[in-house]
Amino acid sequence: MTRAAAHTPLIQQYLDIKARHEDAILFFRVGDFYEMFFEDAEVGSRLLGITLTARNNGGSADVPLAGVPVKALGEYLPRLVREGRKVAICEQVEDAAEADGIVRREVVEIVTPGAVVDESLLEAGRNTFVAAVARGAAVAAGSGAAATGPAAVATADLSTGELEAWECGPQGVADELGRLEVSELLLPADAAEPGPGPWAVTRREPWRFEAEVGRDVLKRAFGVAGLEGFGLAVPRDAHLVAALGAVVGYLEEVRPGGLRHLRAPRVHRRGRHLHLDEMTRRNLEIVEPLRAGDGGTLVEVLDRTATPMGRRLLRRRLLRPLVEVAPIRERLDAVGELVGQRGARRGLREALGKVRDLERLAGRIALGRATPREVLGLGRSVEPLPEICEAAATLRSAPLRSLVDGLDPLADLREEIAAAIDPEAPPAVSAGGVIRAGHDARLDELRAVRDGAVDWIARLQAAERKNTGIENLKVGFNRVFGYYIEVTRSQLGRVPDRFERRQTLANAERFVTPELKEWEAKVVEAEAGIAEREAALFRELRERLAAEVGRVQEAAERVAELDVHCALADVAARGGYVRPEVVEESCLEIRAGRHPVVETRVPAGEFVPNDVVLEDESRIMILTGPNMAGKSTVLRQVGLIVLMAQAGSFVPAGRARIGICDRVFTRVGASDSLARGQSTFMVEMTETAAILNGATDRSLVLLDEIGRGTSTYDGVAIAWAVTEDLADRVGARTIFATHYHELVELADVKPGVGAWNVAVRETDDGIVFLRRLEPGGCDRSYGVHVARLAGVPAAVVARAGEILAELEGGEAGGTRLAGLADRSRDQLTLFDARESRLADRLEGIDPDRLTPLEALVLLHELKASAGSGDG
Ligand code: ADP
């Protein structure tokens, strides 16, 4: 399709540019449209539901074409990007009037799923990350080699300029990517995918993931001679440097205009954060509910932040709590003081509420994308900064003081913006009226000239009416002819010679005079001058602000931290949370603990608090109790309380002493990994294996039923052996909720294992859930009672009760059950035969081919045969 000679120059230019952006849909600016050609046109028209047409291509065959109006970019672009597509925006970069031949065009940005700055594609409360993965030296030799060295994930948020690198174990990459909620993942062309994920994958040449290349990219991007300032050294940190370089190199490509807001990389070494694997993040419902739509996540309960920056930070903190006592205590000090100082907290929250998304505004300004309204927004966002400092005046704790005292009020930026931009500025510079009167002498002059000319024209109507005596003479304006004098047909006789006819209407004629044309030219000229001047002034201001973007980002960071502390303090004060005592020793004592989410979902005052102590004699807790008693709730609340404490939050409890955990593992019920084609039991065992292999004596392990997906004996045997291993070898603090009463015996024989149960009381008509933890095992499962609660028919429940009584009465359950079946054999056989005949009959029916009437007749027949017993 690309025989060069045959194409028109426009299509040739398109093909040249497209060749450099093979993997993107090219939006090729032609006048007021972004046009897509060839395959892009076909894909675009399909995905966007727009018309596919053809463009004449000189001598060769017509070219498929689909276009979107430039004005509607904001509507169409997000749809393509959400589909996981990349879109390269190619603009006309010179004035069509000045072009010598075909207008020069350039790709000015590439919008990808992970590299976006448009609000329509961003979520205020979470980051949008593009990430790259690189492996350490041990495996760099060949991509097929077993992953043994450390790995690194680098992430960048183009909208905020954040750049970070996360070190992780060779097997930890997929977990890390999930935790970071990555939108787009860069991978070497020859590398395997780290696992399934919601991210879009972008393949890049393998050399882009080399540490040497990465080092050069970073040095150039940050204008530094070496990476020591970032705490990075090659070869030690080859993996981190490689990942960072790959991400930055990519961003440079998608933003050819520069990345002035990109922040110096923050490096997170291994072991500096509480490790939460994917299962645990899901099971504890930290940011997403287990089943969509069920609602109720930890972040929802805790998110009382007032700013988008704060919201994003809180979410990140909950997904990555700390493991060092000192910084956790610092956070708790901050929250503690704000809990105590209600007035200061309220004042702070009020002031914080006025700050808009400083981080993203800064990003848009640095990328040269900010509109006049956004620049005004920046000005208004920094306005409340002094108010924040004032509200914090009475606060004394070191972490809050240091946050507030270092907060740059950015007064100079605010003043500069206020002095330059009209508070009523339109969204686009081209609309005019962006720069304030009095700000620029030249602009004021041009405006005076224009206003004078407009004034003269405005006065013309009265003057000419007087001169000509035409009472209804009118001066008007239209886009084609400019200013004119309109005279109705009946008055045409009185028109003087100096009027030149321009346009004839049904009952009027339009004229101009040389003088009017002269003044009109003055208006036009002045307006062009004004537009140019305004654009230049706005650009200059944006440039100056862009140079200060680092200060804005730093202030935004402080605002975000203050916001998170205030939010957590507010939740703590309202919810009656306490400050956890966070210590090094591997202990865990929670008194009167509550589940932060479940307690908000039961009627007020009805949540039953519970004590959980995992140390010494009951480092491992075997937790029994009937279904629905509250086992999972206790289990999860312990995980959540530990996580909250280590994230620097107060906790829903009467008192809590928490020894730092290095990892929290959970395995709860059957997960929907089923959808990935594994059997429940296989999933369960894979998860159990990961726990036994990954847990240490400083970990917290929360198991909710294991061995359920297999036969009872199998299940008990596995559960028993797993518990033994956790007790003898691993030494992790563990809660094991199970319906196998047999496991309770472990508590008698194994030191460090204790048995507890969630109490129920039996009454005449069933059981009452007390939701209270009590020492000792529970000797029965009450499944029959729960079946009744669930609405299983009374006859079935009664029969199950009979069978249960028989089973519990005897030593050898198996034989007795056979006996039971024996007694009912006649009945069963009769039923079986009838059932199988019915089944055969049903088998032969194709519901899609039945008319409603046939279906009704058939239903009658089936009912009759079922009833008679001889179907
Ligand atoms: P199990 O794991 O034993 O089957 P769950 O922990 O899922 O039971 O609890 C079942 C329901 O009981 C929960 O959804 C909640 O509504 C209620 N519940 C659990 N624990 C408590 C409690 N401590 N106080 C009040 N209600 C509770």
Side-chain angles (χ1 to χ4, degrees), residues 564-582:
V564 169
H565 290 321
C566 276
L568 291 177
D570 208 55
V571 178
R574 287 160 183 267
Y577 291 7
V578 297
R579 176 182 176 132
E581 188 189 340
V582 177

Side-chain angles (χ1 to χ4, degrees), residues 598 602 606-610 625-634 636-637 704 758 771:
V598 175
V602 298
E606 282 188 16
F607 192 89
V608 181
N610 273 305
N627 272 321
M628 287 302 289
K631 300 185 298 297
S632 306
T633 305
V634 169
R636 286 187 164 109
Q637 93 192 19
D704 195 353
V758 192
R771 316 278 183 216

Side-chain angles (χ1 to χ4, degrees), residues 470-472 487-495 506-509:
I470 306 174
E471 284 294 311
N472 60 358
V487 179
T488 53
R489 208 158 274 287
S490 58
Q491 302 291 316
L492 285 180
R494 308 169 81 165
V495 167
N507 41 23
E509 301 258 329

Side-chain angles (χ1 to χ4, degrees), residues 293-498:
D294 268 8
T297 61
L298 181 64
V299 76
E300 274 166 36
V301 172
L302 298 186
D303 188 1
R304 294 191 51 83
T305 55
T307 70
M309 292 82 78
R311 246 159 97 200
R312 292 192 293 265
L313 181 64
L314 176 66
R315 192 177 174 102
R316 294 201 304 260
R317 286 203 169 162
L318 293 179
L319 287 171
R320 182 166 281 256
L322 304 174
V323 289
E324 283 161 314
V325 169
I328 294 174
R329 284 188 186 154
E330 241 180 51
R331 288 185 187 176
L332 292 171
D333 286 346
V335 174
E337 188 174 29
L338 288 165
V339 169
Q341 291 214 28
R342 192 151 157 239
R345 185 171 82 232
R346 195 184 307 138
L348 265 176
R349 283 167 50 82
E350 206 167 291
L352 286 165
K354 298 178 193 162
V355 181
R356 291 183 22 187
D357 202 334
L358 270 186
E359 255 175 348
R360 284 184 175 158
L361 285 171
R364 293 180 63 80
I365 286 169
L367 289 166
R369 290 288 295 266
T371 63
R373 290 257 173 94
E374 285 168 325
V375 171
L376 275 178
L378 177 67
R380 292 198 186 115
S381 280
V382 302
E383 225 163 84
L385 295 182
E387 203 181 312
I388 291 176
C389 298
E390 255 167 60
T394 57
L395 299 171
R396 288 285 158 267
S397 69
L400 289 176
R401 275 291 25 117
S402 104
L403 276 179
V404 176
D405 293 343
L407 182 61
D408 180 347
L410 303 172
D412 53 330
L413 303 191
R414 191 196 66 222
E415 278 159 24
E416 195 164 351
I417 293 169
I421 308 284
D422 191 307
E424 305 295 322
V429 190
S430 55
V434 169
I435 304 294
R436 241 191 153 126
H439 176 65
D440 178 70
R442 174 86 191 109
L443 181 63
D444 289 346
E445 220 176 280
L446 288 165
R447 280 177 176 162
V449 170
R450 177 199 54 193
D451 295 347
V454 168
D455 242 34
W456 184 91
I457 294 171
R459 284 196 309 269
L460 183 66
Q461 183 166 300
E464 291 291 7
R465 278 185 186 176
K466 209 155 149 212
N467 288 340
T468 59
I470 306 174
E471 284 294 311
N472 60 358
L473 173 149
K474 268 195 311 202
V475 173
F477 177 84
N478 78 20
R479 286 169 59 96
V480 182
F481 296 102
Y483 288 100
Y484 54 79
I485 299 169
E486 188 175 294
V487 179
T488 53
R489 208 158 274 287
S490 58
Q491 302 291 316
L492 285 180
R494 308 169 81 165
V495 167
D497 285 347
R498 56 194 174 84

Side-chain angles (χ1 to χ4, degrees), residues 66-139:
V68 302
V70 169
K71 279 200 178 125
L73 184 68
E75 178 193 331
Y76 290 110
L77 183 65
R79 280 160 60 188
L80 290 176
V81 176
R82 280 199 207 98
E83 287 280 339
R85 303 286 175 152
K86 286 184 200 164
V87 181
I89 311 279
C90 176
E91 295 288 358
Q92 297 173 184
V93 293
E94 66 183 339
D95 199 328
E98 285 162 25
D100 180 15
I102 199 140
V103 185
R104 218 153 40 81
R105 290 183 172 84
E106 268 170 30
V107 168
V108 295
E109 63 172 306
I110 304 169
V111 184
T112 78
V116 284
V117 289
D118 288 283
E119 263 173 64
S120 54
L121 280 162
L122 292 167
E123 256 179 76
R126 61 187 273 186
N127 287 98
T128 297
F129 287 127
V130 52
V133 176
R135 304 249 176 215
V139 289

Side-chain angles (χ1 to χ4, degrees), residues 177-195:
L177 293 170
R179 183 190 63 73
L180 290 163
E181 307 187 281
V182 165
S183 301
E184 181 178 4
L185 177 62
L186 310 177
L187 284 177
D190 57 355
E193 282 197 31

Side-chain angles (χ1 to χ4, degrees), residues 447-566:
R447 280 177 176 162
V449 170
R450 177 199 54 193
D451 295 347
V454 168
D455 242 34
W456 184 91
I457 294 171
R459 284 196 309 269
L460 183 66
Q461 183 166 300
E464 291 291 7
R465 278 185 186 176
K466 209 155 149 212
N467 288 340
T468 59
I470 306 174
E471 284 294 311
N472 60 358
L473 173 149
K474 268 195 311 202
V475 173
F477 177 84
N478 78 20
R479 286 169 59 96
V480 182
F481 296 102
Y483 288 100
Y484 54 79
I485 299 169
E486 188 175 294
V487 179
T488 53
R489 208 158 274 287
S490 58
Q491 302 291 316
L492 285 180
R494 308 169 81 165
V495 167
D497 285 347
R498 56 194 174 84
F499 279 25
E500 300 165 15
R501 175 165 308 145
R502 272 297 152 89
Q503 198 186 2
T504 304
L505 306 177
N507 41 23
E509 301 258 329
R510 288 175 175 175
F511 303 89
V512 295
T513 66
E515 222 185 355
L516 177 57
K517 279 290 128 186
E518 216 171 279
W519 284 99
E520 181 184 304
K522 282 185 194 172
V523 173
V524 170
E525 195 189 320
E527 264 177 352
I530 290 168
E532 201 174 301
R533 188 77 191 152
E534 281 208 292
L537 287 168
F538 183 69
R539 213 168 35 237
E540 276 165 31
L541 173 66
R542 204 161 58 186
E543 286 291 304
R544 275 199 306 281
L545 295 174
E548 302 296 328
V549 100
R551 286 169 62 207
V552 179
Q553 289 171 328
E554 152 118 35
E557 226 167 278
R558 288 170 188 271
V559 166
E561 280 207 45
L562 279 170
D563 191 17
V564 169
H565 290 321
C566 276

